[in-house]
Structures are given as C-alpha cells and as structure tokens.
Amino acid sequence: MTSYDTPTPQCPVKLDLNYFNKQLPESYRDDLQDEYSRMIALLKHKLATLYVKHELKTESAYWIKTLHDFMKLHELTFEDREFFRHIFMEMFLDLNLDMDMRIEAGNILISLLKEKKAKFDMDW
C-alpha cells in the first residue's frame, strides 16, 4: 500500500460510548477514539474508491460487511452517516449492480436512514 492510498484520519470527533464500548477495559477505552477515526477513514476511502472505479462486484462485499459490523459496534456521527447515505444511495440506484449487491446496499441504506437523534435533509 503506497502512501497516497493510506487515508489520513480527519479531525477527531467526540465519540459517544455505547453499551458495548463501556464494557471494555479502561486501558483500551482510551484508544477507542483513535481506532474509530482510523477505521472510519479507511471505510470511507475504500468504499468511495470502489464506487468511483466501478469495482462493486469483487472487493466491495467485504467492505460493506465491515461497515455493517462497524455500525453495530459504534454509533456513526452525523457527517459519517451523511457520507455513507450518499454512497449507498448511488450504489442502490446503479443499474449495473447485481441483485445481491443491491440488496446489501439497500439493507445498509435502511439502517443508515434510521436516524435516532437528529433529522436530516437529503438532496435527491
């Protein structure tokens, strides 16, 4: 992996600890913010790159599954949710996408649209 392929984490956001994260040992809980920033930057980079290159049939299943698991463990910030909403809306509406990947993109999109705390507007 070259240096330009490695995403750099953006300015860190305050991570709210959910039930699962509060059960972690105190020593690991301190590193959770850095892990969140690195992982979300990597997921954004990989999914956006795969979408731009139209390589949605091969490697994207792994990264979609990784994002789904990440969303179960961590609450996404509003900006992260907005970014992934746009990516998965475009994936879902892509006519060249096979049905299995469209179903996966639709399931992620549904879970992203279930906003608990804030209302949002989406540009169609």
Side-chain angles (χ1 to χ4, degrees):
M1 185 180 250
T2 59
S3 62
Y4 61 86
D5 286 337
T6 306
T8 56
Q10 298 171 352
C11 58
V13 293
K14 178 72 172 111
L15 181 64
D16 294 330
L17 296 177
N18 61 14
Y19 172 78
F20 300 109
N21 294 337
K22 289 178 182 175
Q23 304 303 319
L24 294 171
E26 188 70 35
S27 60
Y28 184 71
R29 215 178 304 160
D30 298 337
D31 299 332
L32 206 54
Q33 179 69 41
D34 294 332
E35 180 185 333
Y36 176 85
S37 297
R38 281 193 315 269
M39 190 63 183
I40 204 72
L42 180 66
L43 285 168
K44 283 180 177 182
H45 174 75
K46 289 293 186 181
L47 287 172
T49 303
L50 290 171
Y51 180 72
V52 168
K53 291 182 178 179
H54 296 289
E55 296 176 1
L56 297 174
K57 295 178 183 173
T58 55
E59 194 178 349
S60 61
Y62 171 76
W63 291 108
I64 289 173
K65 174 73 171 129
T66 304
L67 174 65
H68 189 63
D69 293 342
F70 185 80
M71 286 172 40
K72 288 180 185 176
L73 294 176
H74 302 284
E75 285 288 320
L76 295 179
T77 62
F78 182 76
E79 292 82 17
D80 296 336
R81 281 184 174 272
E82 193 67 25
F83 175 82
F84 288 122
R85 278 187 199 117
H86 286 289
I87 290 286
F88 282 101
M89 180 61 75
E90 293 294 325
M91 279 182 169
F92 186 72
L93 295 176
D94 187 6
L95 298 177
N96 298 328
L97 198 60
D98 63 337
M99 191 54 95
D100 292 334
M101 292 303 295
R102 188 172 291 186
I103 289 171
E104 283 297 318
N107 288 337
I108 295 277
L109 186 61
I110 287 170
S111 63
L112 286 170
L113 289 173
K114 290 181 180 178
E115 187 69 40
K116 297 176 185 173
K117 297 178 184 174
K119 299 197 184 261
F120 61 91
D121 292 325
M122 185 178 225
D123 296 331
W124 297 91

